[in-house]
Amino acid sequence: MSDLGHVLVLAGGLSYEREVSLRSGRRVSEVLRGAGISVETRDTDASLVPSVLADPPDAVFVTLHGGAGEDGAIRTVLELLSVPYVGAGPDACRVAYDKPTAKTVVRSFGLRTPESVTLPKETFHDLGASAVLARIVERLGLPLFVKPSRGGSALGASMVRSAEELPAAMVGCFAYGDTALIERCIDGVEVAVSVVDLGNGPVALPPVEIVPDEGMYDYAARYTAGHTEFFAPARLSPEVSAACTEMAVTAHTALGLRDISRTDLIVDADGLPHFLEVNVAPGMTETSSLPMAVEAAGDDLGTLCRILLEQAAARGA
């Protein structure tokens, strides 16, 4: 039996990923109730702080995606309220949530990551878009992958196969953020590796291979059933699989993460994994890779979430 008396699951928020967050929150709440835990699911609105002060939960499970859920803001508020929660602290979240910064950190730990350019919208406009974009193509080559420096679910992200496509890709990216990350596109196998720490150090779950029907793992491919084929565990050799899991654990450690994370990788034709980004609040929907990895490991998602909450409660605020 669990000693947890009152657990709060935070879901929703005001980011572009609100609907996905609500689905993740429902899934976590369902599996926790199945594990015998009393769960309250709440959105992040003006009633949250008074509610938590009036009836403090034993621990909080954050399933907010994008914005305040992953940039450390909500976790800062939880710490101000002296409420323990599952996941990384605010400082680590701020570093991990900013993709260019995260790439710099993991590169300093020896991880391979695609060469890239980070370009704020102001610079893009002030210095002349066409001249700047021409230099980017000259430096990085083609194809390229353009995405907002912050955010997730592939919103504002696009593949660029010709120089003519780059301006439109930048405009689409800036619709979701003020800074663009333009990466050299690595052709290969997309892999997601979840990492959990149940008290004995971070351990990687089996890698999940992602094969979208339309070639790009965009928002629709991520959250529409049948648009993507998943293989859990991934169809990789034992050596390549081990390299992927080692990279995910190193990223988790290098970025100072805690409890749970998911690292997205691309494995090239030579079997070498490349770090793309890390997520401090992995999706928990029916089409999310973390629950698939838990099942592939022979574990139970409800039990995992319960242990993480118990660990957070024991750790304290």
Side-chain angles (χ1 to χ4, degrees), residues 118-133 136 149 170-171 173-182:
T118 303
L119 195 64
K121 180 163 58 176
E122 292 80 5
T123 305
F124 176 71
H125 289 299
D126 295 348
L127 297 185
S130 60
V132 173
L133 295 185
I136 290 174
S149 67
M170 297 294 288
V171 171
C173 175
F174 288 138
Y176 289 92
D178 291 333
T179 302
L181 175 64
I182 306 104

Side-chain angles (χ1 to χ4, degrees), residues 18-165:
R18 173 179 173 81
E19 291 305 314
V20 179
S21 172
L22 290 171
R23 288 170 58 183
S24 285
R26 283 194 295 269
R27 180 84 183 278
V28 170
S29 297
E30 289 171 1
V31 298
L32 283 171
R33 291 189 182 104
I37 305 299
S38 175
V39 181
E40 177 187 7
T41 306
R42 289 193 64 91
D43 209 329
T44 52
D45 53 30
S47 68
L48 178 63
V49 171
S51 172
V52 168
L53 289 172
D55 185 16
D58 294 321
V60 173
F61 204 111
V62 180
T63 61
L64 298 164
H65 304 319
E70 296 183 62
D71 66 5
I74 283 293
R75 296 159 200 248
T76 296
V77 173
L78 293 174
E79 292 192 359
L80 289 171
L81 297 172
S82 298
V83 174
Y85 56 88
V86 171
D91 289 345
C93 285
R94 279 187 282 271
V95 174
Y97 187 58
D98 188 78
K99 296 180 180 67
T101 303
K103 281 167 66 75
T104 299
V105 171
V106 302
R107 188 183 290 114
S108 73
F109 277 73
L111 298 191
R112 193 180 300 103
T113 185
E115 186 179 356
S116 62
V117 170
T118 303
L119 195 64
K121 180 163 58 176
E122 292 80 5
T123 305
F124 176 71
H125 289 299
D126 295 348
L127 297 185
S130 60
V132 173
L133 295 185
R135 299 290 77 73
I136 290 174
V137 172
E138 183 179 295
R139 167 68 64 85
L140 300 180
L142 292 165
L144 297 170
F145 198 82
V146 178
K147 57 188 174 184
S149 67
R150 297 181 165 202
S153 294
L155 292 168
S158 58
M159 178 84 72
V160 173
R161 299 193 179 278
S162 69
E164 292 73 24
E165 295 174 352

Side-chain angles (χ1 to χ4, degrees), residues 266-315:
I266 190 87
V267 178
D268 66 22
D270 295 323
L272 299 175
H274 300 253
F275 173 92
L276 298 178
E277 59 190 74
V278 69
N279 192 301
V280 300
M284 294 288 192
T285 73
E286 294 77 5
T287 57
S288 297
S289 62
L290 189 144
M292 297 178 193
V294 172
E295 183 177 352
D299 297 325
D300 176 73
L301 184 62
T303 300
L304 174 67
C305 292
R306 174 180 58 77
I307 293 172
L308 290 171
L309 283 161
E310 290 171 340
Q311 185 169 274
R315 181 170 60 227

